[in-house]
Amino acid sequence: MDLVNLVERMGEAPTAALFGLITGITFGIAAQRSRFCLRAATVEFARGRVEDKVAVWLLTFSTAVVWVQGAQLLGLMDSADARMMAVPGSWSGAIIGGLMFGAGMVLARGCSGRLLVLAATGNLRSVVSGLIFAVVAQMSLSGILSPARDGIAALWITDGGRNMDLLAALGIPHAGGLIIGVAIAAAALALAYRQRIGISRLIFASGVGFAVAVGWVLTYSLAQVAFEPVQIESATFTGPSAHTLMFFLERDAILEFDVGLVPGVFIGAMLAAWFAGEMRFQAFDDAVTMRKAMIGAALMGFGGMLAGGCAIGAGVTGGSIFVGTAWLALFCMWIGAMATDYLVDQKAGTVTA
């Protein structure tokens, strides 16, 4: 069955949700098996080590760039039509939101995507933190926190009514993005070899990057045949967490890519953990840990919405198409996470996995 027939049979919104589900399941399986986590990578780096967690993150990021840029060169997608590229970006939001998100993911011991993956394995700490993250994200999107978000975001926005395409701004040809991705992947593989990371973990780490490309290609393909405008997007968890929450709370909510993505990640991660024998219930260690996690989740909810994406949405998905504010947000997430680890955990002598 071709895509046109699928859309005619299911409708555009259900097809978008199905594509979100496919993207999410792919991401969930790969993320659970690779233990991909930006928070873990930043903490490792902040403590003077460049080991397996950094290698896995670099491989995921680079393979996302390779897959996405390769798809674009083959005409399977066009980043110029992507939602985060086609609208103005906020430099001020990327800086402040990125710092807040980075701090939050250290306090919560995982970024929003990692919390969703852990929740699927029975981690009750991640369930609570994830719910707080989704609620605050919704409050920041259209609730009581939205005026503050709008005010900060408006302080410094990109010129020209669009976000900045870094490749175009730097005069790099279209194939340059693919070359950059390959170069980073080579460095990641060299580091992985030095750390003796198993081949299966490397495959799954690259699978996370592949999932990002799957989302871009599927939504772009749907946009080419849909009668109504379809947003070209891929894996991210700030907006989708808020949208999924409201989908189950509002009777008139509609299906969309986001509503398929979040359950898909949960299903994929749960299946991967189940087959690996890694399903087990975990709770907060103590009241201090719970308090830090709740504060961190709230910071991520507001910070991710302000930055235009979470550690996945801005850091990998936006980075894969060289969105200017996404790369700035990712850099600020690293800075915020490293500073928080130093001030909160290293000074207190805390060691976190």
Side-chain angles (χ1 to χ4, degrees), residues 16-17 20-21 240 243-244 247-248 253-264:
L21 185 70
H243 295 156
T244 303
F247 178 80
F248 291 107
I254 62 172
L255 285 170
E256 55 184 333
F257 179 86
D258 292 355
V259 176
L261 176 69
V262 173

Side-chain angles (χ1 to χ4, degrees), residues 33-243:
R33 298 311 305 146
S34 66
R35 298 191 294 280
F36 166 77
C37 180
L38 177 60
R39 195 276 315 182
T42 57
V43 169
E44 185 177 84
F45 190 79
R47 301 187 181 197
R49 305 193 307 272
V50 182
E51 298 175 355
D52 65 309
K53 296 176 180 62
V54 173
V56 166
W57 187 88
L58 283 174
L59 185 60
T60 293
F61 178 80
S62 60
T63 52
V65 174
V66 169
W67 283 111
V68 172
Q69 292 298 312
Q72 185 160 242
L73 290 173
L74 292 173
L76 299 177
M77 66 158 291
D78 186 354
S79 62
D81 297 332
R83 178 177 61 177
M84 61 175 60
M85 188 72 85
V87 299
S90 170
W91 299 115
S92 54
I95 295 170
I96 298 172
L99 291 171
M100 291 179 66
F101 191 96
M105 69 181 181
V106 169
L107 294 174
R109 294 178 63 184
C111 72
S112 50
R114 181 61 178 168
L115 292 180
L116 181 58
V117 170
L118 290 175
T121 69
N123 191 309
L124 302 180
R125 167 180 56 82
S126 296
V127 172
V128 174
S129 299
L131 287 173
I132 294 173
F133 167 78
V135 170
V136 175
Q138 179 60 35
M139 292 168 63
S140 305
L141 176 64
S142 59
I144 193 172
L145 296 177
S146 61
R149 177 183 64 85
D150 292 339
I152 297 172
L155 293 175
W156 186 16
I157 62 174
T158 55
D159 298 326
R162 294 174 58 86
N163 214 315
M164 176 185 285
D165 183 334
L166 285 178
L167 295 179
L170 296 173
I172 298 175
H174 293 304
L178 179 61
I179 294 172
I180 292 171
V182 170
I184 300 174
L189 289 172
L191 178 58
Y193 177 79
R194 193 176 70 184
Q195 295 298 317
R196 299 182 180 178
I197 299 175
I199 186 66
S200 63
R201 189 179 179 190
L202 294 179
I203 291 173
F204 282 116
S206 64
V208 180
F210 177 71
V212 170
V214 167
W216 282 128
V217 171
L218 288 179
T219 55
Y220 178 79
S221 300
L222 179 59
Q224 305 312 300
V225 302
F227 181 76
E228 297 291 336
V230 172
Q231 292 181 339
I232 300 172
E233 55 191 320
S234 188
T236 184
F237 296 103
T238 309
S241 294
H243 295 156

Side-chain angles (χ1 to χ4, degrees), residues 43 47 49 288 292 340-353:
V43 169
R47 301 187 181 197
R49 305 193 307 272
V288 173
K292 288 166 60 178
T340 303
D341 176 67
Y342 175 76
L343 295 172
V344 176
D345 290 335
Q346 289 189 47
K347 283 201 168 185
T350 303
V351 177
T352 55

